[in-house]
Each structure stands twice: as C-alpha cells, then as structure tokens.
Amino acid sequence: REKDYVKASKLSGSSPFSIMWKQIFPNLSSQFYAQSALAFAGNIGLETGISYLGYGLPYTTPSLGTLVNKATDPDVMTQSPWMWVPAAILILLLSVSLIFIGQTLRRVADQRQSLA
C-alpha cells in the first residue's frame, strides 16, 4: 500500500479493486512460491519428526519417519542399514530440492515482474 507503484495507480484514478488485482497480487506471487515450497518442505520434516518420535502414523504404516525410527534399534542400525539409510537420504533430498525449486520459482517471478 505504501509502494510507489500503488501510489501512482491511485493518482492515475485506478479503482482499489484494479490496484489490488493488477499491481499488488502479481507482486505477491514470488513470495507465495517461496513460502509454499518452504512450507511443504517443513511439513515433510514435521511428519518425519513426529513419526520418528512415535506420535505420528502407526508403526505399521510406511512413512519416512517410521523407517528412520527403525534405526533406533542397534541391531537394525548396524546389520540392516538398507531399512533406514534410503529414507534418511530421501528426506534430505526432498527438503533440499523443494527449497531450491521454491527459490527458483521466486527468482523467475521476480524477473517477470521486473520486465512488466
């Protein structure tokens, strides 16, 4: 509301509805992309953490957190790493890739806005 482009639109006689749809919402798209990607990565981490602690999905339900939870057993951790290592690597890759995707979408939206 305090940005120069909004003030210029008000001075030119644009309606508040027009200012909102043509000026403000397009400039919020980059923030929306970045925030949604970070929230999705955070939700994956939250589900994994809660399931790892035993408060999430039932133990019989396949989940990244329940797979990593099996690593708390010393026998599984040392003798069967194929049960928990792929899940741990997948959690890492999912989180990092979602953050990169969100940042890329934000940069693309920022570049598109600077051209307009």
Side-chain angles (χ1 to χ4, degrees):
R1 153 182 126 177
E2 301 296 325
K3 298 288 185 181
D4 291 335
Y5 58 86
V6 174
K7 290 179 182 178
S9 293
K10 285 181 183 179
L11 289 175
S12 69
S14 297
S15 69
F17 186 75
S18 173
I19 293 171
M20 184 172 54
W21 283 102
K22 292 182 181 176
Q23 302 292 331
I24 296 174
F25 282 156
N27 287 311
L28 291 177
S29 65
S30 64
Q31 299 299 321
F32 174 75
Y33 293 146
Q35 188 63 28
S36 61
L38 289 173
F40 193 68
N43 288 336
I44 290 172
L46 183 67
E47 185 277 328
T48 302
I50 289 174
S51 293
Y52 172 75
L53 294 173
Y55 295 113
L57 297 171
Y59 191 71
T60 57
T61 305
S63 163
L64 293 174
T66 54
L67 290 173
V68 174
N69 187 10
K70 293 180 182 185
T72 57
D73 182 15
D75 292 332
V76 172
M77 187 161 195
T78 57
Q79 295 173 359
S80 349
W82 61 85
M83 291 182 72
W84 61 273
V85 169
I89 291 172
L90 184 62
I91 292 167
L92 178 69
L93 290 176
L94 275 173
S95 299
V96 170
S97 65
L98 284 171
I99 290 170
F100 282 143
I101 289 170
Q103 293 297 324
T104 304
L105 289 174
R106 183 184 59 82
R107 287 183 186 146
V108 168
D110 283 344
Q111 287 176 354
R112 191 176 307 143
Q113 289 169 7
S114 67
L115 295 175

